[in-house]
Amino acid sequence: MNNDDRKNTLPHTSLSAGILAAIRSKRVVLAGRETPGERGDTVIASYNIHKCVGTDGRFDPGRTTEVISEIGADIIALQEADQRFGERAGLLDLERLHRDCHLISVPISAFSSKGHGWHGNVLLLREGVVARVHQLTLPGVEPRGALVVDLDLKAGPLRIIAAHFGLLRHSRARQAEAILKAISEAEERPTLLIGDLNEWRLGRRSALSSLSPVFDHAATAVPSFPSRFPLLALDRVMGSPHSLVTGVEVHNTPLARIASDHLPIRAYIDLKSAMDSLAAAAPATES
């Protein structure tokens, strides 16, 4: 979503320079989930690449790839990676992403032979086995979707739900409920919900409030939009169980601030801790 689309929704605020500086560099470390010198065993990221059009109005897929390389994630979800209309062609060079960033796109059935994503969603993986992919159509006024991908990593099993929610609050609420329904119908495994969820509210009025208690939609929120002066936490990484995510930060570099209207966000996860939490919560079986 670009600045013009959201210009009437940005809150009016007057903050001191010190507070704004703190917001720009904000990083969330979740209490009790991070040991000194070790933030997790896998790095996850989400990035709305804005169809490779930067804040300078220039279409530059190579610049977008350079930002992805900067992030250094093991798994990264991209939004707006395809043209929205016409041929819906993919906008990135997947071979270059493999060569330069060592990332491979999770195989899906794209909208067209030239497309890369599902409603613009692409999931890139450094290593691991793709056990299952479900392309979920989300309800709402606009066409939106999510990728539900079960991965088997060296550290353990992981489910990634990579989504791009709609612009309307009512649609986002319905889309959150659809995500929960998809989880309830799948086998239990540590799960991440990541992507541009287009919601900045963190309290009861948030369209994401129905995600609780499966996901804590407020605990990992960091401002990522607009990229030149991030104030709104539109891009999210949430874990279930809650111990899965150990920390979240904004990737705020000079290149990232110009390559898209969103900043990427990077998260650290601890699969072992999450598996231990699930095992402890599982009902005891009779011998």
Side-chain angles (χ1 to χ4, degrees), residues 106-271:
V106 170
I108 64 167
S109 297
F111 277 105
S112 73
S113 59
K114 296 183 178 181
H116 295 157
W118 173 246
H119 291 281
N121 294 291
V122 170
L123 189 65
L124 301 171
L125 176 68
R126 190 176 298 275
E127 62 179 19
V129 175
V130 179
R132 178 179 178 270
V133 178
H134 175 46
Q135 296 175 211
L136 181 65
T137 298
L138 296 176
V141 176
E142 311 158 82
R144 296 283 176 166
L147 292 174
V148 184
V149 182
D150 286 359
L151 301 170
D152 293 326
L153 308 177
K154 287 182 179 179
L158 179 66
R159 175 173 295 122
I160 300 280
I161 302 175
H164 190 184
F165 282 9
L167 303 182
L168 301 179
R169 185 181 184 280
H170 181 259
S171 293
R172 293 194 295 274
R174 293 178 61 199
Q175 289 156 5
E177 292 168 359
I179 295 295
L180 292 179
K181 184 174 185 294
I183 293 173
S184 69
E185 295 172 349
E187 67 176 3
E188 188 174 49
R189 63 167 56 200
T191 299
L192 287 171
L193 172 57
I194 62 179
D196 177 4
L197 304 189
N198 263 318
E199 179 60 79
W200 58 93
R201 303 175 186 89
L202 301 180
R204 295 180 181 178
R205 295 180 62 245
S206 171
L208 308 180
S209 59
S210 65
L211 292 173
S212 301
V214 177
F215 298 101
D216 188 340
H217 71 94
T220 57
V222 291
S224 59
F225 180 89
S227 58
R228 288 187 178 273
F229 202 69
L231 291 171
L232 306 180
L234 301 187
D235 305 279
R236 306 289 186 92
V237 177
M238 309 176 202
S240 177
H242 296 174
S243 60
L244 177 58
V245 178
T246 63
V248 181
E249 62 191 10
V250 178
H251 180 76
N252 192 344
T253 65
L255 190 62
R257 286 195 291 274
I258 196 172
S260 170
D261 60 345
H262 287 248
L263 289 174
I265 59 171
R266 180 168 50 210
Y268 303 88
I269 66 171
D270 186 343
L271 268 176

